[in-house]
PDB file of all heavy atoms in Angstrom:
ATOM      1  N   ASP A 116       6.502  12.749  -5.477  1.00 98.00           N
ATOM      2  CA  ASP A 116       7.162  13.634  -4.518  1.00 98.00           C
ATOM      3  C   ASP A 116       6.266  14.834  -4.202  1.00 98.00           C
ATOM      4  O   ASP A 116       5.163  14.962  -4.739  1.00 98.00           O
ATOM      5  CB  ASP A 116       8.565  14.042  -5.007  1.00 98.00           C
ATOM      6  CG  ASP A 116       8.546  14.993  -6.199  1.00 98.00           C
ATOM      7  OD1 ASP A 116       7.497  15.623  -6.472  1.00 98.00           O
ATOM      8  OD2 ASP A 116       9.596  15.125  -6.851  1.00 98.00           O
ATOM      9  N   GLU A 117       6.730  15.721  -3.338  1.00 97.00           N
ATOM     10  CA  GLU A 117       5.885  16.829  -2.878  1.00 97.00           C
ATOM     11  C   GLU A 117       5.621  17.862  -3.965  1.00 97.00           C
ATOM     12  O   GLU A 117       4.722  18.687  -3.834  1.00 97.00           O
ATOM     13  CB  GLU A 117       6.531  17.500  -1.668  1.00 97.00           C
ATOM     14  CG  GLU A 117       6.491  16.618  -0.438  1.00 97.00           C
ATOM     15  CD  GLU A 117       7.041  17.324   0.785  1.00 97.00           C
ATOM     16  OE1 GLU A 117       8.238  17.669   0.759  1.00 97.00           O
ATOM     17  OE2 GLU A 117       6.279  17.549   1.737  1.00 97.00           O
ATOM     18  N   ASP A 118       6.418  17.826  -5.052  1.00 97.00           N
ATOM     19  CA  ASP A 118       6.156  18.739  -6.182  1.00 97.00           C
ATOM     20  C   ASP A 118       5.219  18.101  -7.195  1.00 97.00           C
ATOM     21  O   ASP A 118       4.969  18.680  -8.260  1.00 97.00           O
ATOM     22  CB  ASP A 118       7.482  19.118  -6.867  1.00 97.00           C
ATOM     23  CG  ASP A 118       8.387  19.878  -5.919  1.00 97.00           C
ATOM     24  OD1 ASP A 118       7.861  20.677  -5.119  1.00 97.00           O
ATOM     25  OD2 ASP A 118       9.609  19.638  -5.954  1.00 97.00           O
ATOM     26  N   GLY A 119       4.739  16.891  -6.922  1.00 97.00           N
ATOM     27  CA  GLY A 119       3.803  16.234  -7.839  1.00 97.00           C
ATOM     28  C   GLY A 119       4.493  15.434  -8.928  1.00 97.00           C
ATOM     29  O   GLY A 119       3.840  14.948  -9.857  1.00 97.00           O
ATOM     30  N   ASN A 120       5.830  15.259  -8.831  1.00 97.00           N
ATOM     31  CA  ASN A 120       6.538  14.433  -9.822  1.00 97.00           C
ATOM     32  C   ASN A 120       6.352  12.959  -9.470  1.00 97.00           C
ATOM     33  O   ASN A 120       6.594  12.566  -8.326  1.00 97.00           O
ATOM     34  CB  ASN A 120       8.043  14.744  -9.824  1.00 97.00           C
ATOM     35  CG  ASN A 120       8.305  16.198 -10.137  1.00 97.00           C
ATOM     36  OD1 ASN A 120       7.797  16.725 -11.121  1.00 97.00           O
ATOM     37  ND2 ASN A 120       9.054  16.862  -9.269  1.00 97.00           N
ATOM     38  N   CYS A 121       5.916  12.191 -10.471  1.00 97.00           N
ATOM     39  CA  CYS A 121       5.650  10.761 -10.240  1.00 97.00           C
ATOM     40  C   CYS A 121       6.630   9.869 -10.977  1.00 97.00           C
ATOM     41  O   CYS A 121       7.166  10.233 -12.024  1.00 97.00           O
ATOM     42  CB  CYS A 121       4.246  10.405 -10.732  1.00 97.00           C
ATOM     43  SG  CYS A 121       2.939  10.928  -9.624  1.00 97.00           S
ATOM     44  N   TYR A 122       6.841   8.690 -10.448  1.00 97.00           N
ATOM     45  CA  TYR A 122       7.519   7.607 -11.152  1.00 97.00           C
ATOM     46  C   TYR A 122       6.906   6.301 -10.651  1.00 97.00           C
ATOM     47  O   TYR A 122       6.135   6.318  -9.677  1.00 97.00           O
ATOM     48  CB  TYR A 122       9.046   7.666 -10.980  1.00 97.00           C
ATOM     49  CG  TYR A 122       9.558   7.557  -9.559  1.00 97.00           C
ATOM     50  CD1 TYR A 122      10.092   6.353  -9.084  1.00 97.00           C
ATOM     51  CD2 TYR A 122       9.537   8.638  -8.693  1.00 97.00           C
ATOM     52  CE1 TYR A 122      10.583   6.248  -7.787  1.00 97.00           C
ATOM     53  CE2 TYR A 122      10.017   8.538  -7.393  1.00 97.00           C
ATOM     54  CZ  TYR A 122      10.545   7.356  -6.947  1.00 97.00           C
ATOM     55  OH  TYR A 122      11.014   7.242  -5.663  1.00 97.00           O
ATOM     56  N   ALA A 123       7.207   5.218 -11.339  1.00 98.00           N
ATOM     57  CA  ALA A 123       6.544   3.957 -10.987  1.00 98.00           C
ATOM     58  C   ALA A 123       7.505   2.790 -11.195  1.00 98.00           C
ATOM     59  O   ALA A 123       8.345   2.819 -12.094  1.00 98.00           O
ATOM     60  CB  ALA A 123       5.300   3.774 -11.847  1.00 98.00           C
ATOM     61  N   GLU A 124       7.377   1.774 -10.345  1.00 98.00           N
ATOM     62  CA  GLU A 124       8.194   0.559 -10.464  1.00 98.00           C
ATOM     63  C   GLU A 124       7.279  -0.655 -10.535  1.00 98.00           C
ATOM     64  O   GLU A 124       6.254  -0.708  -9.842  1.00 98.00           O
ATOM     65  CB  GLU A 124       9.107   0.407  -9.227  1.00 98.00           C
ATOM     66  CG  GLU A 124      10.186   1.463  -9.159  1.00 98.00           C
ATOM     67  CD  GLU A 124      11.049   1.390  -7.889  1.00 98.00           C
ATOM     68  OE1 GLU A 124      10.807   0.534  -7.019  1.00 98.00           O
ATOM     69  OE2 GLU A 124      11.957   2.222  -7.781  1.00 98.00           O
ATOM     70  N   LYS A 125       7.678  -1.629 -11.369  1.00 98.00           N
ATOM     71  CA  LYS A 125       6.904  -2.882 -11.454  1.00 98.00           C
ATOM     72  C   LYS A 125       7.122  -3.707 -10.201  1.00 98.00           C
ATOM     73  O   LYS A 125       8.248  -3.798  -9.704  1.00 98.00           O
ATOM     74  CB  LYS A 125       7.389  -3.702 -12.645  1.00 98.00           C
ATOM     75  CG  LYS A 125       6.799  -3.289 -13.953  1.00 98.00           C
ATOM     76  CD  LYS A 125       7.183  -4.319 -15.002  1.00 98.00           C
ATOM     77  CE  LYS A 125       6.805  -3.826 -16.365  1.00 98.00           C
ATOM     78  NZ  LYS A 125       7.319  -4.683 -17.426  1.00 98.00           N
ATOM     79  N   LEU A 126       6.047  -4.322  -9.729  1.00 98.00           N
ATOM     80  CA  LEU A 126       6.124  -5.247  -8.597  1.00 98.00           C
ATOM     81  C   LEU A 126       5.999  -6.655  -9.136  1.00 98.00           C
ATOM     82  O   LEU A 126       5.074  -6.943  -9.911  1.00 98.00           O
ATOM     83  CB  LEU A 126       4.959  -4.999  -7.643  1.00 98.00           C
ATOM     84  CG  LEU A 126       4.914  -3.657  -6.911  1.00 98.00           C
ATOM     85  CD1 LEU A 126       3.480  -3.273  -6.595  1.00 98.00           C
ATOM     86  CD2 LEU A 126       5.736  -3.717  -5.641  1.00 98.00           C
ATOM     87  N   GLN A 127       6.921  -7.506  -8.767  1.00 98.00           N
ATOM     88  CA  GLN A 127       6.825  -8.915  -9.137  1.00 98.00           C
ATOM     89  C   GLN A 127       7.381  -9.728  -7.985  1.00 98.00           C
ATOM     90  O   GLN A 127       8.126  -9.179  -7.156  1.00 98.00           O
ATOM     91  CB  GLN A 127       7.592  -9.200 -10.426  1.00 98.00           C
ATOM     92  CG  GLN A 127       9.057  -8.871 -10.322  1.00 98.00           C
ATOM     93  CD  GLN A 127       9.742  -8.861 -11.673  1.00 98.00           C
ATOM     94  OE1 GLN A 127       9.453  -8.039 -12.533  1.00 98.00           O
ATOM     95  NE2 GLN A 127      10.652  -9.800 -11.841  1.00 98.00           N
ATOM     96  N   GLN A 128       7.035 -11.002  -7.915  1.00 97.00           N
ATOM     97  CA  GLN A 128       7.421 -11.804  -6.761  1.00 97.00           C
ATOM     98  C   GLN A 128       8.919 -11.633  -6.467  1.00 97.00           C
ATOM     99  O   GLN A 128       9.742 -11.804  -7.373  1.00 97.00           O
ATOM    100  CB  GLN A 128       7.116 -13.275  -7.017  1.00 97.00           C
ATOM    101  CG  GLN A 128       7.203 -14.099  -5.766  1.00 97.00           C
ATOM    102  CD  GLN A 128       6.753 -15.516  -6.014  1.00 97.00           C
ATOM    103  OE1 GLN A 128       7.154 -16.153  -6.981  1.00 97.00           O
ATOM    104  NE2 GLN A 128       5.913 -16.021  -5.146  1.00 97.00           N
ATOM    105  N   GLY A 129       9.247 -11.240  -5.255  1.00 97.00           N
ATOM    106  CA  GLY A 129      10.650 -11.094  -4.845  1.00 97.00           C
ATOM    107  C   GLY A 129      11.217  -9.698  -5.041  1.00 97.00           C
ATOM    108  O   GLY A 129      12.333  -9.427  -4.598  1.00 97.00           O
ATOM    109  N   SER A 130      10.491  -8.794  -5.675  1.00 98.00           N
ATOM    110  CA  SER A 130      11.060  -7.455  -5.906  1.00 98.00           C
ATOM    111  C   SER A 130      11.026  -6.632  -4.627  1.00 98.00           C
ATOM    112  O   SER A 130      10.119  -6.747  -3.815  1.00 98.00           O
ATOM    113  CB  SER A 130      10.344  -6.743  -7.059  1.00 98.00           C
ATOM    114  OG  SER A 130       8.981  -6.511  -6.762  1.00 98.00           O
TER     115      SER A 130
END
Side-chain angles (χ1 to χ4, degrees):
D116 70 18
E117 290 184 297
D118 297 323
N120 301 309
C121 283
Y122 61 102
E124 292 176 358
K125 278 189 189 172
L126 294 152
Q127 60 193 65
Q128 193 174 47
S130 63

